[in-house]
Each structure stands twice: as C-alpha cells, then as structure tokens.
Amino acid sequence: MSSLKEVCGGLPLNPLPPNQGRSNRVPHAPVRVPNLTPQEEKLALRNALRYFPPAIHEVLAAEFAEELRLYGHIYMYRFCPGIPMRAYPINSYPCKTKQAAAVMLMIMNNLDPCVAQFPQELVTYGGNGQVFSNWAQFWLVMQFLCEMTEEQTLVMYSGHPVGLFPSHRDAPRVVITNGMVIPNYSSRDEYEKMFALGITMYGQMTAGSYCYIGPQGIVHGTVLTVLNAGRRYLGSSDLGGKVFVTAGLGGMSGAQAKAAVIAGCIGVIAEVDQAPLKKRHEQGWLMEITSDLDRCIQRIRDARMKKTPLSLGYHGNVVDLWERLVREYDTTGELLVDLGSDQTSCHNPFSGGYCPVGLTEQEAGQLMHSEPARFRSLVQESLRRHIAAINKLADKGLFFWDYGNAFLLEAKRAGADVEKSGAGKTEFKYPSYVQHIMGDIFSLGFGPFRWVCTSGDPEDLATTDVIASTVLEDISKGVSDLVRQQYDDNIRWIREAGKHNMVVGSQARILYSDQKGRIDITCLCLFPCLFSLLLQAPVVISRDHHDVSGTDSPFRETSNIYDGSAFCADMAVQNFVGDAFRGATWVALHNGGGVGWGEVTNGGFGLVLDGSGDAARRVTMMLNWDVSNGVARRCWSGNDKAYETICQTMREHSDLRVTLPHSVADEGLLDRALRH
C-alpha cells in the first residue's frame, strides 16, 4: 500500500511496481476500437514509452502493446497506485500550498471507486469521461502539485502535465484544456484514434476538471427538472402517484433514483449493467431491483394506487420496458407512465454508451469489439424501436423530454421519427429539458453551484448547509414570484439535504443558486473573524460546467438560444478566460461533455476559500463574472427573463454595463424589407 508521500514522489521506477493487470473488484470501461494502422500502433506505443527512461522500455513495451491490443488504449495498469483512492483531509497532503493540496484532494475524489465509474481506466462518469489518459500522468501531476509554490502554474494538455511554469500569486495554480482539437478534425473517428495515441482526451465536464462530486452533483438538478416538469406538463407540484420512466444508473444518471423519491414520484429506471444497480442499491439510492417485467409493472401499479414514492431499478433494457408499457396500454387502456426521459450515455452510443435491445451487456461489449459495423446497425435499430414506443405513449398523454445526453440527436441520425415540422436545427418532436424546463432557470442566473469541505468532516458540511439556508431565506424576500419559487425549491433542498444521505466521496454539496446567493453564501463563510470558528479547513467552491455561462451546447445548455448563435462557443471560452484572471485557483476548458465529442464547448473552475481577505476579493470578482456573462449572452439572444435579470444586476452593480437588444416591434417590416 502506498502512502500520500509516496504518491507525491513521482513515477515509481526503482523498483518497478508489479504488473497486476486489471482488478476484478471494480467495473471496467468498454473495449475501445480505434482502428489504428500499424504505423499508428507504433506511434501510440512510442508516445506511451516517452514517460519512462529507456532502461525500462524493454519491460514496458510488450505489456503496453498488449493493453493497446486488448483494450484499445494504453492505461498503464502496472502503475495503478496501491493507496486507497479517496479524498483525504486536506492537511494530509504533503504540499507547499493549500491550493495545490485542494486540487490533489479533488483529483483523488474523482478516482475514488465509490465515485468513479471505471476507476482503473481513470473514467469518472459518462462511460468515457477521463481524469487522465493514463496512470503515468496521475503520478506526474501529483508530484508537480506537491512541489508547486504560489508563484507557479501547472499547465495540463488533455491529461498530460506539460510542466510547472513561473507565474504569480493571482494566477490560477492549474490551467487545464481537454480535447482542444482543430475543428475540422474533431470527429468521433478521429477522436478514437487520437485518444488511443495518447494525445487528446475526453474530459466530459467535471471529470477532466477535477470537480465531480459524485451523483449528488446532478441529484439537485434532476429534482428541479422533475418538479418543474410536473408543474409544466401535469399542472401540479404534487407528484404523488405519478410515474417517471427513464434509463441509466451509472455515473451522472445514478442520481435519477434518489431524485425521483425526493420529488415524491415513482421512478422506474432501467439499467443493463448489474454493477451500478447493485452500487446504487447499496448506497441507499435505489429502493428496489427487479429483472422481472411482470413484477416491475405490478410494483408500478401498487405504488400508483398508494401514491408511495418509489425508486425501482429494472435490470434489463429500457426498450423492453417501454414496449411493455405500450402493450399494457393496448390491452388495458391504462397509461402507466406520466413522465419520461433517458440518461444512457448516448453521447457515446457506439462505444458502450447505449446497449441495443436483444443483447446483454456482455454480448454488446463483445460485438462492439468484434463486429463494430454490425453493432452500430443494432444500436440504430434499437433507437428506432425506442422512439417508436415513446411516440405511441406520447400520443396517449406521456410527456417526454431529452436529458441532454444526445438521445434525440442520435435517434434522428438513426432514422427514428423525432423530426419536428418547421423546426430549427436544435429542435425535435420532444423538447430538451433546457428548452422547456431548465432554460428559464439559467436565464434567471440560477445554476448548479457546489462546494467541498476539505476537512472531510461531516460537521463542516452541516455548518455550510445552515449558512446556505440562512442566506437564501434572507435574500428571497422582496423578489418576483418566479424568482421566489426558485429560492423556495432551493431552501427546501438545502434544509433536507443532510437527511437524504447524498454524500458519496468528498464532503460536498450542490445548490442551484443565482449570482447574489453564490456570493452571499461564500462571503459569509469567508468572513475572516468567523471562518476559523465555523470551519476546520478551507472550502473549495466550484460548479457544474452545465451552468448559466459555462457551456455552449446547441442540443442542451444553449438549446433555447434562438438568434442563430446556439452553435457559437464564445460564451464558454470567454468564461474560462475571465475566471482565470479574476481569481480562480484552477480553470478548465473542454471539447465535448454531456452531448458528446465535437458537439459542445464547456469550461469550469475551482476556487479555494481559506477565510482570507484575498480569497474574499477573488470570489466576489470571479463569481459576479461567472454568472453575469451567461445572463448577458442569453439576454442578447432575446430572452426576456435574462433581460430582466441582467438589468436588475446592473442596477445593483454600477460598474456593470451590458449591451441590451432592441426588439423588432413589427415583424412584417422584415418581410417588406426583404421583398425589395
């Protein structure tokens, strides 16, 4: 077993650790199919060996070549650390600066087997969301962070630590880019090759930025989505007896079971892989599991009649579940589902993100590797059946939405019936959850703010929960009814958060908050004379990249941008740059995330709060920008709620000036002008 001191000592080369291969105690990523040429295979091997001195190349070359042949990537399993991977208290890390120690804590949390989807492949969530590309990078990064001073910045290229460079105290300690590929070469097939070569990486969102906090990170957003779906589609905030059917219990999708129960409905979640079903059940997030469709239907009927909240995991393919619900309607006239969505990793459908109906998970994995063309065909056939069943139920009253995982996008590419007559590029027969449910929240400046108590003590987390609740109750007075509803939902969330047993990994919390809420919560924590009395160690604040300003994604975060700029990425890039020079401890900019490689540009940050006046200055300046940037962009696109929000923010901040749009009052003017 290694120690943290050993982990910070650099690559273990003398002696080499034994090559124990892949562990059978954790789940593993699907085999990748990069289709490398013989010359590219040599290049991949050469690229991997450059992390090591020539004296050991003879030993490593054969096993790295075997990994490439068997798994489609060189993970360097020999160098998996022996230390239990988890978020240790910040004072445990042998660093020169607490900022570096905080980054190390967050990295180890992302790789904690309780948190990570495929820990030995360095995948945190989403099937392919990497923290690093290989284990050599992990060791080098930890060594650099251990040695770092507050006058240096660690530069990261797609998992690879380029090195420590001289900077200054106000600069970020780490600057991360993931997947920054020249646009014309940012295709899926090119990605598979480049990842196998070890030269780029898909960081998802908070995997490659070291800010994932376990499935809790999406629980709150999923609760808000389900609650607001009930309000919009069913006309009620009371979801007792209402049935929500979806798929996926892996990384991010694991939140759906917990969210359904918190929202008060009956959540039925299909999952083909037994490992995440077992994991969520053991964590208490999933109440029941069945592989029997008859039993599944009976439990739905029982819970509907009693209006009892339930999270039921169906071990099987979601297409079978949807088609069974169609047959139940056809034979009984009873619609057993009210709300529906999907959280399979459909952004990665041909590399393990979507299992075709009729195949077990194991059969799918084998076919994906042995006959990729046939596997692709079966995936698309399955997507067509999937949509056909949903369409039949939607005609009878089901309300379905896309959860931003590229489900409808891939269904369209498969030839499924999802077209919306007269719609733009980002619109389908069913809305994305941003278009109909969460878009208004972003336009009001609310988004998934989060924090991590680096002491590792649950008491610190409980203290911050009280602080957050107190702040929200105070600032919710005197706001509009629409904004007050958001505050009320969030106050309810934070008051009940502790009792829902949501912490997996680090002592972290997520809270949808607006600009004022984020700043007031952090400033109360930061007040120098209170910090040492309230908390035992620094707090890291962050957010999901899926936020007001952090992501340009035309099929998700910016799908409700209708001025033609939904496919432009200026907002996310500007956010990354602006956070960097306004005080963030680390910043990240990614290609891909959620909807898939080449479909998204997104960024995030981490900021260490230590109770100092310097930290207070940084957080106030950075958080104001981090929210207002996105609200200003949404305002300029023509969103009325964003217009109201940014105008109110300008009234509160005299040094903020935003270009406001003028509406065309007479639409006929456009037609008349274009006729000439």
Side-chain angles (χ1 to χ4, degrees):
M1 180 184 293
S2 307
S3 67
L4 284 174
K5 185 176 180 181
E6 290 170 327
V7 165
C8 296
L11 275 164
L13 302 177
N14 189 21
L16 278 174
N19 182 15
Q20 298 180 340
R22 304 211 314 181
S23 169
N24 59 10
R25 293 176 294 179
V26 295
H28 291 282
V31 173
R32 311 191 74 91
V33 187
N35 293 317
L36 300 182
T37 66
Q39 285 303 112
E40 288 168 337
E41 289 176 344
K42 286 183 181 179
L43 183 57
L45 192 55
R46 185 183 300 117
N47 287 347
L49 289 172
R50 62 185 164 175
Y51 285 102
F52 306 93
I56 58 174
H57 284 186
E58 190 74 31
V59 176
L60 298 179
E63 67 188 59
F64 288 175
E66 182 77 351
E67 287 186 22
L68 184 62
R69 185 181 66 81
L70 292 177
Y71 311 120
H73 187 75
I74 300 171
Y75 296 104
M76 306 182 184
Y77 291 113
R78 176 190 288 268
F79 295 97
C80 286
I83 188 171
M85 197 67 68
R86 64 181 179 86
Y88 292 87
I90 193 168
N91 293 330
S92 305
Y93 294 92
C95 296
K96 296 177 181 177
T97 165
K98 281 289 188 287
Q99 293 182 337
V103 178
M104 295 170 81
L105 179 154
M106 301 290 279
I107 287 172
M108 294 189 75
N109 186 68
N110 270 25
L111 294 169
D112 181 341
C114 293
V115 174
Q117 187 177 14
F118 306 124
Q120 281 202 306
E121 288 75 42
L122 302 110
V123 172
T124 300
Y125 70 91
N128 59 351
Q130 305 282 150
V131 184
F132 303 110
S133 179
N134 60 58
W135 284 104
Q137 294 172 348
F138 168 83
W139 286 93
L140 291 173
V141 166
M142 298 301 270
Q143 182 181 26
F144 279 135
L145 290 170
C146 176
E147 297 170 352
M148 174 189 286
T149 71
E150 292 188 352
E151 302 291 333
Q152 292 174 303
T153 293
L154 174 60
V155 175
M156 299 292 301
Y157 286 5
S158 292
H160 170 67
V162 181
L164 286 173
F165 291 79
S167 58
H168 54 83
R169 294 179 65 88
D170 280 343
R173 297 283 67 81
V174 187
V175 175
I176 304 161
T177 52
N178 283 310
M180 293 291 106
V181 173
I182 304 301
N184 279 354
Y185 303 90
S186 189
S187 68
R188 264 192 199 137
D189 290 343
E190 290 286 350
Y191 167 72
E192 291 295 343
K193 283 182 179 285
M194 286 188 277
F195 181 60
L197 292 173
I199 57 174
T200 197
M201 189 182 87
Y202 185 68
Q204 266 282 2
M205 291 189 163
T206 52
S209 68
Y210 320 146
C211 293
Y212 191 63
I213 60 170
Q216 179 195 171
I218 196 175
V219 171
H220 188 20
T222 308
V223 170
L224 291 176
T225 299
V226 174
L227 284 174
N228 284 308
R231 291 166 182 153
R232 178 172 185 131
Y233 298 139
L234 307 179
S236 176
S237 295
D238 181 3
L239 296 180
K242 303 301 182 184
V243 178
F244 172 48
V245 170
T246 181
L249 282 166
M252 300 287 277
S253 59
Q256 297 183 105
K258 175 67 78 173
V261 173
I262 295 174
C265 69
I266 300 152
V268 184
I269 308 98
E271 172 60 64
V272 295
D273 186 354
Q274 193 164 22
L277 280 159
K278 182 180 177 184
K279 186 175 185 178
R280 300 303 172 213
H281 189 254
E282 289 174 349
Q283 288 171 343
W285 288 42
L286 191 61
M287 295 164 68
E288 299 178 21
I289 298 174
T290 183
S291 58
D292 184 337
L293 270 176
D294 290 339
R295 170 71 178 164
C296 186
I297 296 299
Q298 187 57 51
R299 289 297 294 123
I300 290 172
R301 284 198 165 98
D302 292 345
R304 285 184 79 215
M305 183 177 65
K306 297 175 182 176
K307 296 189 175 183
T308 307
L310 172 67
S311 55
L312 174 63
Y314 168 60
H315 183 207
N317 197 291
V318 71
V319 179
D320 289 325
L321 176 58
W322 280 116
E323 290 180 342
R324 175 60 183 270
L325 290 166
V326 170
R327 288 197 297 275
E328 290 296 319
Y329 182 85
D330 288 343
T331 56
T332 69
E334 187 179 14
L335 182 64
L336 293 176
V337 54
D338 303 281
L339 302 171
S341 191
D342 185 274
Q343 276 199 45
T344 54
S345 294
C346 221
H347 67 276
N348 188 35
F350 310 121
S351 298
Y354 183 91
C355 181
V357 64
L359 297 181
T360 65
E361 184 215 4
Q362 292 78 13
E363 290 167 343
Q366 291 167 2
L367 193 63
M368 179 171 47
H369 182 56
S370 62
E371 297 182 63
R374 183 169 172 240
F375 180 77
R376 177 185 287 259
S377 176
L378 289 175
V379 166
Q380 294 190 322
E381 179 186 338
S382 185
L383 283 166
R384 291 192 291 270
R385 282 177 57 181
H386 198 153
I387 288 294
I390 290 167
N391 286 347
K392 288 178 182 177
L393 293 169
D395 288 343
K396 307 304 178 185
L398 161 72
F399 294 96
F400 186 89
W401 66 88
D402 183 283
Y403 220 118
N405 58 336
F407 173 66
L408 291 180
L409 179 62
E410 290 301 332
K412 177 184 177 182
R413 289 169 175 167
D417 179 15
V418 294
E419 296 279 359
K420 180 180 179 182
S421 177
K425 290 182 181 179
T426 64
E427 295 179 278
F428 300 101
K429 179 179 290 189
Y430 305 107
S432 89
Y433 74 120
V434 172
Q435 287 169 325
H436 270 206
I437 302 170
M438 298 297 276
D440 281 350
I441 291 177
F442 288 160
S443 298
L444 294 169
F446 285 82
F449 180 55
R450 55 180 59 169
W451 61 89
V452 176
C453 297
T454 66
S455 66
D457 190 333
E459 287 300 314
D460 273 7
L461 185 59
T463 298
T464 59
D465 284 348
V466 172
I467 291 170
S469 176
T470 302
V471 167
L472 294 185
E473 287 170 3
D474 182 58
I475 64 178
S476 64
K477 300 167 185 173
V479 297
S480 69
D481 290 344
L482 183 59
V483 173
R484 184 177 296 108
Q485 183 180 78
Q486 304 308 319
Y487 277 127
D488 288 346
D489 285 345
N490 289 306
I491 291 167
R492 171 186 167 189
W493 163 265
I494 202 70
R495 281 177 178 167
E496 298 179 357
K499 76 178 185 182
H500 286 301
N501 188 32
M502 285 182 295
V503 170
V504 178
S506 58
Q507 292 294 318
R509 184 69 73 225
I510 185 168
L511 173 70
Y512 268 66
S513 184
D514 61 355
Q515 181 172 325
K516 183 171 178 55
R518 298 181 202 206
I519 292 170
D520 286 5
I521 290 167
T522 52
C523 285
L524 184 54
C525 286
L526 280 167
F527 200 70
C529 67
L530 287 178
F531 185 88
S532 60
L533 297 176
L534 294 173
L535 301 169
Q536 302 172 56
V539 172
V540 172
I541 65 165
S542 182
R543 57 163 169 75
D544 196 344
H545 299 198
H546 164 69
D547 196 16
V548 181
S549 307
T551 298
D552 283 297
S553 177
F555 295 102
R556 195 162 81 173
E557 285 81 356
T558 47
S559 60
N560 66 334
I561 300 288
Y562 299 116
D563 68 346
S565 71
F567 292 86
C568 300
D570 301 85
M571 178 179 73
V573 175
Q574 288 280 359
N575 222 67
F576 162 80
V577 174
D579 284 352
F581 67 72
R582 285 180 173 85
T585 306
W586 71 95
V587 289
L589 184 68
H590 297 181
N591 171 10
V595 182
W597 179 265
E599 307 283 0
V600 186
T601 301
N602 66 89
F605 73 87
L607 201 163
V608 178
L609 311 181
D610 59 5
S612 66
D614 182 59
R617 174 182 62 84
R618 288 168 176 261
V619 75
T620 302
M621 183 164 49
M622 200 211 75
L623 287 182
N624 275 317
W625 156 255
D626 193 67
V627 177
S628 284
N629 172 40
V631 178
R633 186 268 178 96
R634 294 167 192 278
C635 163
W636 183 247
S637 77
N639 187 288
D640 292 340
K641 293 182 176 62
Y643 186 102
E644 295 168 10
T645 302
I646 203 67
C647 287
Q648 177 62 33
T649 306
M650 285 194 286
R651 287 191 288 270
E652 295 170 357
H653 297 270
S654 60
D655 54 352
L656 174 67
R657 285 292 177 267
V658 168
T659 306
L660 298 174
H662 295 282
S663 298
V664 175
D666 178 10
E667 286 291 320
L669 171 68
L670 307 180
D671 293 328
R672 293 194 298 274
L674 290 169
R675 281 199 296 267
H676 294 291

